[in-house]
Amino acid sequence: MEELKIVYIDPRELTPYEGNARKHGTEDVEQIKESIRVDGFNDPIGIWGEKNLIVEGHGRQIAALEMGLEKVPCI
């Protein structure tokens, strides 16, 4: 079994899953951005495959893009 590892990737290189049922409104994204400002980026975005498909963390990617972050933790 392969061990999980955290890698740091430009959020622009992540591919949102088109079938994601959760939609993040402006208020949601603002709350995520504030959490990142206060506590840091403590919850890696879950990705899968060569295209860095987001399987968990779409809102964090949106927040990171709006904040101009160059790298985000992904697992």
Side-chain angles (χ1 to χ4, degrees):
M1 177 190 240
E2 187 176 333
E3 292 185 21
L4 296 177
K5 61 184 172 185
I6 295 176
V7 294
Y8 290 82
I9 300 174
D10 185 326
R12 294 171 294 191
E13 294 178 12
L14 304 178
T15 305
Y17 172 59
E18 291 181 15
N20 183 32
R22 174 97 194 255
K23 303 300 177 206
H24 293 84
T26 303
E27 187 175 327
D28 295 330
V29 174
E30 289 303 317
Q31 289 175 350
I32 295 168
K33 287 167 40 176
E34 183 61 18
S35 175
I36 292 170
R37 280 189 206 97
V38 172
D39 300 318
F41 211 115
N42 294 323
D43 190 7
I45 296 172
I47 59 171
W48 182 77
E50 293 178 12
K51 293 184 179 182
N52 298 327
L53 183 67
I54 300 173
V55 294
E56 189 261 335
H58 291 81
R60 279 171 271 149
Q61 184 218 21
I62 295 167
L65 290 169
E66 289 185 9
M67 295 173 77
L69 300 181
E70 294 180 7
K71 299 283 183 181
V72 295
C74 299
I75 193 163

